[in-house]
Amino acid sequence: MKLSQFKFNLPDSLIASTPSENRDEARLMVLHKDSGKIEHKIFKDVLDYFDDKDVMILNNTKVFPARLYGNKEKTGATIEVFLLRELNKELRLWDVLVDPARKIRVGNKLYFGDDDLLVAEVVDNTTSRGRTIRFLFDGTDEEFRKNVEILGETPLPKYIKRKATAQDKERYQTIFAKHEGAVAAPTAGLHFSRELMKRLELKGIEFAEVTLHVGLGTFRPVEVEDLTKHKMDSEQFIIEDRDARIVNKALEEKRRICAVGTTSMRAIESAVSASHTLKAASDWTSKFIFPPYDFSIANSMITNFHTPESTLLMMIAAFGGYDNVMNAYEIAVKEKYRFYSYGDAMLII
């Protein structure tokens, strides 16, 4: 398929810049992939589509406050450093993006916080905006993390044109987040409230967890018309044996298995055994899913509404059927569904 087949007109007014008042009260579009039928619901109605022993696969990655603002030595110029991933815990080496990139060179020292709570040195260039930095910090790892927590800002995507607030710290995080390492939230999971999780549990729905640390590659635009030539960024994922067993039992019993979000889907499709079951894994994936594609594990999926021409929309089209999904998106725009991270949800069954 071609990149241009995933274009659609999205008015700026439909890009959600704040979350719905209650997590489970965003709108929910239900797409039946066999018939193309569409229903309009509220997210907590998701309960009606699942039964005893069905399984939902959740991504339990935790977003860390990855955006730091500081000053450059000597000039005092304000700089933004976006922490991408920790390369070496002992040496406190991190891969980061910097802004303005042209002013930040190898050897520069960067200062963060009123009392220079953290100081870092630029040790290498990686890409045009990428650098490797070393934090010069003598305390424990726990103290270092606490300082990042104090100084760091919730890494809202750039298309949300406002500063992060205290509310974002809570709402740009799923209620089941456990393992820190993501620089963007697995947004389909943001719609689950504690009350809804309890109600799903009481109905007999089981939860399996995977960890996929969402990287900024999630937002990277596709720049080639021929999709086979696009390369995805690698993301780290972990699937424990216990969770693989829960999913495989449901597979065997032909239950409904729902991947909550594109990140959960990407993780499980990166860990399919030769016999088309889910295997425990701890690895990195650069898997790019676009139509046509045969999915091995999940037979339903919950997702948000994505950007035109994004890899996320391409995965959804592969799962729900290209014509079905593009038609659903046309209806979503007409019905004024809210798009992106803080937007509304879609259930594909």
Side-chain angles (χ1 to χ4, degrees):
M1 294 203 87
K2 305 284 183 226
L3 175 65
S4 49
Q5 289 174 266
F6 293 91
K7 268 196 177 113
F8 66 93
N9 184 35
L10 179 65
D12 285 348
S13 60
L14 297 186
I15 296 170
S17 61
T18 54
S20 57
E21 195 174 333
N22 298 308
R23 284 181 185 268
D24 57 15
E25 288 179 355
R27 292 167 76 192
L28 176 72
M29 179 187 280
V30 183
L31 169 62
H32 297 262
K33 56 182 179 174
D34 291 344
S35 63
K37 180 185 152 195
I38 283 171
E39 300 175 90
H40 302 287
K41 303 282 185 176
I42 297 295
F43 190 79
K44 55 180 154 190
D45 297 332
V46 80
L47 189 71
D48 301 335
Y49 296 89
F50 294 89
D51 288 313
D52 188 32
K53 301 284 191 298
D54 287 345
V55 171
M56 286 187 166
I57 302 172
L58 310 171
N59 182 3
N60 64 18
T61 187
K62 191 173 186 180
V63 180
F64 64 93
R67 189 171 276 128
L68 298 175
Y69 293 97
N71 302 95
K72 205 176 129 186
E73 67 172 335
K74 296 189 180 116
T75 65
T78 303
I79 44 117
E80 179 188 318
V81 170
F82 194 101
L83 303 175
L84 288 177
R85 69 171 67 122
E86 190 172 39
L87 299 174
N88 185 307
K89 200 186 277 279
E90 282 68 45
L91 297 175
R92 305 205 196 285
L93 281 180
W94 283 76
D95 249 349
V96 302
L97 294 178
V98 294
D99 203 11
R102 67 187 183 284
K103 293 188 175 171
I104 300 174
R105 300 195 173 94
V106 173
N108 285 160
K109 281 211 172 74
L110 313 173
Y111 296 87
F112 304 94
D114 294 339
D115 304 321
D116 299 339
L117 201 54
L118 287 176
V119 179
E121 184 182 10
V122 182
V123 296
D124 200 5
N125 295 320
T126 51
T127 59
S128 58
R129 284 182 57 223
R131 303 287 184 273
T132 301
I133 66 171
R134 178 171 59 234
F135 284 98
L136 310 172
F137 187 81
D138 290 332
T140 64
D141 192 56
E142 201 179 324
E143 290 165 336
F144 172 71
R145 301 268 161 189
K146 195 175 167 192
N147 287 356
V148 170
E149 192 70 35
I150 291 165
L151 296 171
E153 197 179 85
T154 303
L156 292 181
K158 285 285 193 190
Y159 55 72
I160 294 180
K161 309 269 189 241
R162 62 174 177 81
K163 292 282 278 179
T165 64
Q167 185 203 26
D168 293 310
K169 196 164 190 168
E170 186 230 337
R171 292 299 300 272
Y172 196 63
Q173 192 82 273
T174 65
I175 62 164
F176 40 80
K178 281 182 195 160
H179 303 298
E180 198 170 78
V183 299
T187 55
L190 297 178
H191 301 293
F192 286 81
S193 63
R194 283 187 168 74
E195 188 197 9
L196 178 58
M197 295 281 282
K198 195 76 204 152
R199 289 172 69 201
L200 287 162
E201 229 172 83
L202 289 171
K203 200 172 176 182
I205 285 100
E206 295 189 53
F207 299 103
E209 295 186 4
V210 299
T211 306
L212 182 136
H213 292 314
V214 191
L216 271 192
T218 290
F219 305 112
R220 195 184 297 289
V222 179
E223 289 167 340
V224 286
E225 178 66 2
D226 178 355
L227 298 185
T228 61
K229 296 196 162 50
H230 177 69
K231 296 280 183 287
M232 293 287 281
D233 285 15
S234 276
E235 292 171 318
Q236 187 183 19
F237 76 98
I238 299 158
I239 300 169
E240 303 286 357
D241 194 51
R242 172 194 165 276
D243 298 290
R245 281 203 305 272
I246 291 170
V247 172
N248 289 333
K249 187 168 186 285
L251 262 179
E252 203 181 306
E253 295 174 358
K254 298 189 166 37
R255 306 280 180 196
R256 183 161 276 169
I257 298 169
C258 181
V260 177
T262 55
T263 59
S264 296
M265 185 69 89
R266 194 156 171 240
I268 60 178
E269 284 297 318
S270 301
V272 178
S273 73
S275 56
H276 292 280
T277 58
L278 184 62
K279 59 186 182 189
S282 178
D283 208 344
W284 291 76
T285 178
S286 53
K287 195 171 192 63
F288 177 28
I289 297 173
F290 59 94
Y293 181 87
D294 287 330
F295 291 82
S296 295
I297 308 293
N299 47 28
S300 62
M301 143 173 232
I302 292 169
T303 182
N304 277 23
F305 288 93
H306 304 293
T307 339
E309 299 186 316
S310 64
T311 59
L312 307 176
L313 173 57
M314 290 162 194
M315 180 195 287
I316 303 310
F319 188 76
Y322 173 80
D323 291 338
N324 282 345
V325 167
M326 296 313 282
N327 175 54
Y329 268 57
E330 207 175 295
I331 291 167
V333 169
K334 204 158 59 187
E335 295 291 331
K336 297 191 164 39
Y337 273 76
R338 286 156 35 101
F339 277 67
Y340 301 177
S341 299
Y342 273 152
D344 295 316
M346 177 191 263
L347 167 66
I348 306 174
I349 51 175

